[in-house]
Amino acid sequence: MRHEKAARLLELARRLAASAEGLTLDEMAAAMQVSRRTVERMRDAVREAFPQMEEIPDPPTVRFRIPSGLDGIFQAPTAEEFAALRAAADHFRQSGATARAGALGALESKVLSAIRSGVRRRLAPDMEALLEAETMAVHPGPRPFEDEAVLGAVREAIVSLQRLRFLYDGGSTPGREREVTPYGLLFGRSNYLVAAETGSGEPRNWRLDRVRDIRVVPLPGGRPADFSLAAYAARSFGIYQDAIEDVVLHILPHGAEEALGWRFHATQTLERQADGSVIARFRVAGMRELAWHLFSWGDKVRILAPERLRAQMAEELAAAVRAHGAHGAS
């Protein structure tokens, strides 16, 4: 128990050292999932160990922080943390995300080089044991395109608030030069640049594997202050952005338990019915990708709304029947 309390205090100290603006007592209590009275005692204990803790007035409250970080002795990573980092890099590499895999590998090397040799020797056996005992399943799908030159140009433009120009081998006029203001990057089954073309304030998705001869141009290109990439991505079931609609699904009793543990979308609500079935409701765009996903539910789900999703599902089913029926008939 004493060890657990010490670990909790060290975790609070790390949070206070990691926050540039500091944390209020309420923020500390929420982060540590304890009461305000408990976090006050924890703060006092941390202050005894780290007398450099600062109090920053922020009326009507006060913020606390530990400037200049923590001493390295308190910051030695664990074998579990290194194993998680290596596993994430391996997962990126296996799925084709080589640029991000390389970035995590470089981070691991930097962290290892910064800790003491004795600590490295103690960590090595546990790290190898964990890496041999854990792996991640790789799901079938397209390998995401990650060209370091393309990603580097996009990130440079985002940081410097400048525009991008590139040739785009997609859309209605393949090969045409485009000038865009970059809003962000969406990583998934395929990787996309979210950007608004000059003359249009509406962002759209540009597939990175169709971008070539990309360069940063010295023209102002900051995204709107009220734009949220997370909110933009959450509008769609997948990547495709189209009209947002209210979706209602009826999951039959033999699929109810699975549905209750499933996350269709961030906006979803799930309602148990008297017959054991479940009604799922959420608001989303991307009916085609949603129809593709619903294939995997087989006879467990029925689409109640919208009609466009029902029509999309029927169209996809008919196409599958035509393809497989033709082979079966021959």
Side-chain angles (χ1 to χ4, degrees), residues 44-322:
D44 293 341
V46 169
R47 183 156 41 197
E48 289 182 13
F50 300 95
Q52 69 268 38
M53 180 191 291
E54 295 179 345
E55 294 187 16
I56 306 166
D58 186 17
T61 186
V62 175
R63 293 184 172 275
F64 300 87
R65 71 177 181 186
I66 298 176
S68 304
L70 302 183
D71 185 85
I73 192 172
F74 295 104
Q75 295 290 74
T78 65
E80 290 82 2
E81 290 166 342
F82 270 121
L85 182 62
R86 180 82 61 83
D90 289 344
H91 178 65
F92 278 145
R93 191 172 295 107
Q94 291 170 13
S95 63
T98 54
R100 283 175 289 169
L104 289 184
L107 174 61
E108 179 184 348
S109 297
K110 290 175 182 177
V111 176
L112 281 170
S113 67
I115 63 178
R116 299 171 184 174
S117 58
V119 175
R120 288 201 301 272
R121 287 194 295 271
R122 288 196 301 271
L123 287 173
D126 290 344
M127 282 177 59
E128 292 306 315
L130 289 173
L131 289 169
E132 289 179 5
E134 300 175 0
T135 190
M136 300 180 75
V138 178
H139 298 286
R143 293 173 65 85
F145 171 87
E146 289 202 3
D147 183 288
E148 292 191 27
V150 173
L151 289 178
V154 172
R155 287 167 172 155
E156 179 186 345
I158 289 172
V159 171
S160 62
L161 303 178
Q162 294 181 319
R163 297 182 200 172
L164 288 165
R165 282 192 190 138
F166 52 81
L167 300 180
Y168 191 63
D169 295 326
S172 58
T173 55
R176 184 163 68 87
E177 185 177 68
R178 312 297 183 109
E179 181 181 283
V180 303
T181 294
Y183 286 16
L185 289 161
L186 287 179
F187 294 110
R189 289 168 59 86
S190 294
N191 295 334
Y192 292 83
L193 163 66
V194 180
E197 196 161 9
T198 300
S200 170
E202 287 299 316
R204 56 172 287 195
N205 298 338
W206 309 80
R207 273 183 50 166
L208 291 183
D209 60 341
R210 296 176 179 172
V211 169
R212 57 187 174 89
D213 297 338
I214 189 170
R215 62 193 185 279
V216 180
V217 293
L219 294 171
R223 68 186 185 186
D226 60 351
F227 177 81
S228 165
L229 184 62
Y232 174 81
R235 288 182 353 197
S236 174
F237 184 78
I239 289 293
Y240 298 120
Q241 296 280 343
D242 54 17
I244 299 175
E245 301 199 49
D246 292 309
V247 174
V248 184
L249 304 176
H250 183 203
I251 296 91
L252 302 183
H254 60 292
E257 288 304 315
E258 184 179 359
L260 290 171
W262 197 264
R263 186 177 186 268
F264 292 98
H265 193 257
T267 62
Q268 75 181 32
T269 61
L270 301 175
E271 306 165 11
R272 275 190 176 273
Q273 305 299 299
D275 64 354
S277 64
V278 171
I279 298 294
R281 304 175 190 273
F282 48 95
R283 186 168 173 77
V284 72
M287 294 301 111
R288 173 173 292 180
E289 286 185 277
L290 179 52
W292 292 342
H293 170 72
L294 292 179
F295 266 105
S296 66
W297 286 80
D299 65 348
K300 299 176 185 177
V301 64
R302 293 176 181 166
I303 300 168
L304 301 184
E307 182 58 36
R308 187 163 70 92
L309 177 57
R310 290 169 58 89
Q312 184 74 59
M313 188 68 164
E315 181 181 325
E316 300 295 332
L317 285 168
V321 169
R322 286 194 300 271

